[in-house]
Amino acid sequence: MPTIAVDKAALFRELGQEYTTEEFDELCFEFGIELDEDVERPIVDGKQEAAQLKIEIPANRYDMLCFEGISLMLNIFRGKTSSPNYRLVAPPDGDLSTITVHRETAKIRPYVSGAVLRNIKLTKERYDSFIALQDKLHQNLARQRTLVSIGTHDLDTLQGPFTYEALPPEEIRFTPLNQTKEMNGAELMEFYEHDKHLGKYLHIIRDSPVYPVIYDSRRTVCSLPPIINGDHSKITLDTKNILVEITAVDRTKVEIVNSILVAMFSQYTEEPFTVEPVKIISPHNQESRQTPDLTARETQAEVSYINECCGLSLSAEDICRLLRRMSHRASPSEVSADLVEVQVPPTRADVLHQCDIMEDVAVAYGFNNLPKLFPGKSGTIAQPLMVNKLGDIVRIEAAMAGWSEVMPLILCSHDENFAWLNRLDDGKTAVKLANPKTAEYQVVRTSLLPGLLKTIRENKHHSVPIKVFEVSDVAFKDESLERKSRNERHFAAAWCGKTSGFEVVHGLLDRVMAMLKSAFIRHEEGLEGKGTDGYWIEEVDDPTFFPGHAAAIHVRARGEEAVVGAFGIMHPSVLEKFELRYPVSTLEMNLEVFL
């Protein structure tokens, strides 16, 4: 969970009450957050640094990633204030700022959103909190800026209307934030390559033929998302009007980030909790709209469902009262006595279902106050997925046969997945990491064998034979799917001993197949009945295995034939690369054909 450091004295002033560490810890627990540490800071240059509270925030509460969100939510929870009424207001001249999106942006970051905080009053503490919230959103919801990136500018230094374009890096020239030298996109990449803050984001757009860029009407660069803003429009403590522009590859998250950022800091505008919208003009992808949308989302929750889950007997009015403590607006439904009408604020993107509303009711009621008994009726009905049930069956049978289960990592190096198994990479099989942290984790495995062989290598000091197996997923590229990849559940086993163990692995295959009710088809049976369901093996020439000592596993089920796997004695070159001294026989097969 993210940890937020806030000024202790400032927070208590905002809450209108002084707390001891124990009292504030109890308040945090009641609200569902956690006080991690009460920090007394050192004396720097003869001045005592302000004490801080480090507070752990639930991963889904993006609205509490800043001082403003924590203080506002705690005051609402304590009944000191009501949930804000966020409003969109037109600019003084009536003309909204516009951002026109060019078609070429679809190649790199297709979505943009925006807003204006008009007549905002910044102090050093508010400015620092504003920047810190952007950083927290970048690290969490925006997934290190890969999904969403935020740019904020002094609107008075720019001239609208604005355009969002995608241009070759050589055509983009500007002075980056806090720099004095103008440079183009390619030069900027080289300049920040070893920067400890920005260097980790360069890979997001570096290899693209075009870079996203936002211009004002005078062709002044506002930002080069997701890397850096221009120095021309940087925000200072004297800034009165802030333009927020947010680019993204995710349509939903760009609006969530925009709503949270402007809602939290709209309390510092001349008219609190008001935001000036920005008009997005994007006809090529039907994304023209006015942003942000700060209207509350209307939903319903069942009184009976909430009471069943919490073990309570609350009335609709009681539930509404509790929901108001969690920043919702709620009222009993006029349609049914078993329903409450709930207006979810734009900052609560975590509320997706009535179970989330039920959780808020439980928090407001107090987890310590809930009846300590098992509910008479369960709010959920669960059953295993068929692929998981099948995997458990195979897992139990292999374990009962005397094999030990292992669980290696799903990531491995490119060489382990291909070259060390004498396999070639056609570029269309493995899912590769764009920016791997180490050479050990470059691809998502397409086979379970590397993990098993590495496990045996790391346990060479144990007595032989070593018999290990794994039932888990591998991944493949699949351009026919929206996510461009798919998982496949495999079963694999490896024997390492002073003899090859081929017959032992073959015996495990026969046992698993018998358990899966897939009979072995002998040659004579295959000739007698072509439609007989079952499995058979055929010799296969696979460079992973020793020549003449490998077989492919063929299955006929429901009239369809398929090759589901292979087993054999590993090739000596494979053993050498994995540093194994004894012969190894392996088996690997796809389980999903048996569903």
Side-chain angles (χ1 to χ4, degrees):
M1 295 190 296
T3 300
I4 310 301
V6 298
D7 186 300
K8 180 178 180 178
L11 180 61
F12 288 173
R13 280 198 304 271
E14 197 68 27
L15 296 179
Q17 182 178 340
E18 291 292 325
Y19 290 89
T20 64
T21 301
E22 292 73 19
E23 290 171 342
F24 188 73
D25 186 33
E26 181 64 24
L27 173 62
C28 289
F29 176 80
E30 290 176 0
F31 187 65
I33 58 180
E34 183 177 347
L35 177 61
D36 187 46
E37 192 175 2
D38 186 347
V39 183
E40 292 294 336
R41 302 177 72 194
I43 298 175
V44 178
D45 296 331
K47 182 179 179 182
Q48 177 71 52
E49 293 285 303
Q52 286 187 337
L53 297 171
K54 292 187 176 181
I55 304 173
E56 281 193 8
I57 305 298
N60 61 334
R61 290 301 301 267
Y62 305 112
D63 58 320
M64 296 183 68
L65 292 176
C66 61
F67 171 89
E68 289 72 17
I70 293 173
S71 59
L72 178 61
M73 293 302 122
L74 288 179
N75 273 330
I76 294 173
F77 179 73
R78 293 160 62 242
K80 299 297 184 180
T81 186
S82 58
S83 181
N85 179 28
Y86 299 104
R87 295 185 299 113
L88 296 179
V89 296
D93 59 5
D95 294 329
L96 296 181
S97 298
T98 63
I99 301 178
T100 302
V101 183
H102 288 205
R103 183 182 299 272
E104 292 74 21
T105 56
K107 302 175 183 178
I108 181 71
R109 294 175 83 83
Y111 303 111
V112 67
S113 185
V116 173
L117 295 173
R118 182 76 65 175
N119 294 321
I120 191 169
K121 297 177 181 178
L122 292 179
T123 63
K124 178 66 168 57
E125 293 73 24
R126 294 174 181 180
Y127 174 85
D128 291 342
S129 181
F130 188 55
I131 300 301
L133 176 58
Q134 295 177 54
D135 287 340
K136 290 293 184 182
L137 290 172
H138 279 150
Q139 302 307 314
N140 292 277
L141 183 59
R143 296 294 186 269
Q144 302 284 346
R145 303 192 190 183
T146 55
L147 300 180
V148 181
S149 63
I150 307 166
T152 53
H153 313 275
D154 187 335
L155 183 60
D156 296 329
T157 66
L158 301 169
Q159 180 66 51
F162 303 90
T163 57
Y164 176 41
E165 308 176 23
L167 300 173
E170 293 77 12
E171 297 181 17
I172 303 171
R173 296 196 64 85
F174 70 106
T175 303
L177 184 66
N178 296 328
Q179 300 296 324
T180 57
K181 178 185 175 183
E182 183 180 275
M183 55 188 80
N184 64 31
E187 293 169 341
L188 182 140
M189 290 293 167
E190 294 181 8
F191 183 80
Y192 286 108
E193 185 171 9
H194 301 293
D195 187 276
K196 65 178 181 179
H197 298 297
L198 298 179
K200 57 188 174 184
Y201 305 123
L202 301 184
H203 72 279
I204 301 174
I205 63 170
R206 186 169 203 162
D207 296 329
S208 172
V210 293
Y211 290 179
V213 59
I214 294 182
Y215 287 105
D216 74 352
S217 61
R218 295 177 294 198
R219 303 301 288 176
T220 300
V221 172
C222 301
S223 68
L224 182 75
I227 310 301
I228 195 167
N229 294 339
D231 189 69
H232 177 84
S233 57
K234 70 179 179 183
I235 295 176
T236 67
L237 298 183
D238 296 325
T239 297
K240 298 300 181 186
N241 302 303
I242 297 177
L243 170 68
V244 179
E245 46 86 1
I246 305 171
T247 60
V249 297
D250 189 300
R251 172 70 166 78
T252 301
K253 286 185 171 58
V254 72
E255 300 302 347
I256 292 174
V257 170
N258 194 6
S259 297
I260 290 175
L261 182 65
V262 299
M264 289 300 101
F265 286 85
S266 62
Q267 59 185 283
Y268 298 136
T269 56
E270 190 172 53
E271 188 178 353
F273 303 112
T274 59
V275 178
E276 183 180 309
V278 168
K279 186 176 182 182
I280 307 299
I281 304 173
S282 185
H284 67 278
N285 58 357
Q286 292 78 51
E287 288 294 333
S288 296
R289 64 199 187 283
Q290 181 176 291
T291 63
D293 182 4
L294 296 181
T295 56
R297 290 181 290 118
E298 295 185 357
T299 187
Q300 295 177 328
E302 298 172 350
V303 174
S304 57
Y305 170 81
I306 294 173
N307 283 327
E308 285 172 3
C309 292
C310 298
L312 300 173
S313 300
L314 299 173
S315 66
E317 291 77 7
D318 292 335
I319 291 174
C320 293
R321 176 177 51 80
L322 294 172
L323 286 174
R324 293 187 193 105
R325 296 185 65 193
M326 302 303 292
S327 78
H328 301 287
R329 298 178 186 274
S331 60
S333 174
E334 298 179 357
V335 177
S336 170
D338 192 44
L339 292 175
V340 291
E341 304 288 343
V342 183
Q343 291 184 326
V344 182
T347 55
R348 292 295 305 276
D350 59 299
V351 178
L352 303 174
H353 185 268
Q354 69 170 346
C355 67
D356 300 307
I357 296 174
M358 175 273 295
E359 181 185 7
D360 278 354
V361 170
V363 171
Y365 187 85
F367 283 127
N368 283 343
N369 300 324
L370 293 176
K372 295 177 175 60
L373 52 86
F374 194 85
K377 181 178 179 181
S378 173
T380 61
I381 301 173
Q383 61 181 354
L385 295 174
M386 291 305 295
V387 68
N388 290 339
K389 187 174 183 179
L390 175 61
D392 287 341
I393 292 171
V394 174
R395 186 178 286 114
I396 291 171
E397 288 297 327
M400 291 176 66
W403 296 69
S404 300
E405 185 178 12
V406 297
M407 292 186 288
L409 298 175
I410 197 170
L411 299 179
C412 63
S413 74
H414 185 274
D415 284 344
E416 290 169 351
N417 197 70
F418 291 105
W420 288 13
L421 295 177
N422 294 335
R423 294 174 179 174
L424 297 177
D425 180 11
D426 60 3
K428 301 178 182 178
T429 304
V431 177
K432 300 177 182 178
L433 275 66
N435 187 33
K437 189 77 172 179
T438 69
E440 291 182 278
Y441 310 122
Q442 295 173 315
V443 299
V444 182
R445 63 186 178 183
T446 59
S447 168
L448 299 181
L449 297 184
L452 293 180
L453 296 175
K454 287 194 292 182
T455 300
I456 296 174
R457 181 187 67 195
E458 299 304 321
N459 290 274
K460 288 186 293 187
H461 59 284
H462 286 281
S463 60
V464 292
I466 296 175
K467 301 188 295 181
V468 292
F469 77 93
E470 182 182 8
V471 179
S472 192
D473 281 359
V474 297
F476 299 97
K477 284 184 179 179
D478 192 337
E479 294 295 330
S480 64
L481 300 177
E482 181 183 6
R483 60 184 180 273
K484 306 301 180 184
S485 65
R486 61 181 172 85
N487 284 17
E488 195 171 274
R489 188 64 52 87
H490 279 204
F491 165 67
W495 160 287
C496 177
K498 293 182 179 180
T499 61
S500 68
F502 181 86
E503 70 284 356
V504 181
V505 171
H506 193 174
L508 178 63
L509 170 65
D510 289 341
R511 175 58 191 156
V512 170
M513 286 299 192
M515 177 270 307
L516 292 174
K517 298 183 178 180
S518 183
F520 183 72
I521 302 176
R522 293 176 294 177
H523 182 66
E524 296 79 6
E525 293 172 334
L527 291 176
E528 292 171 1
K530 293 184 178 179
T532 304
D533 285 356
Y535 80 98
W536 69 97
I537 60 175
E538 295 181 6
E539 184 177 345
V540 65
D541 184 16
D542 188 328
T544 301
F545 301 104
F546 197 81
H549 293 74
I553 306 167
H554 294 254
V555 170
R556 183 188 295 131
R558 297 179 291 277
E560 297 183 0
E561 296 182 8
V563 178
V564 299
F567 70 100
I569 304 173
M570 303 302 290
H571 196 282
S573 65
V574 175
L575 299 180
E576 181 181 0
K577 288 164 184 169
F578 282 96
E579 303 175 15
L580 301 177
R581 298 173 295 176
Y582 291 111
V584 176
S585 291
T586 62
L587 156 69
E588 183 169 16
M589 57 187 291
N590 176 15
L591 293 179
E592 295 190 5
V593 297
F594 298 99
L595 291 174

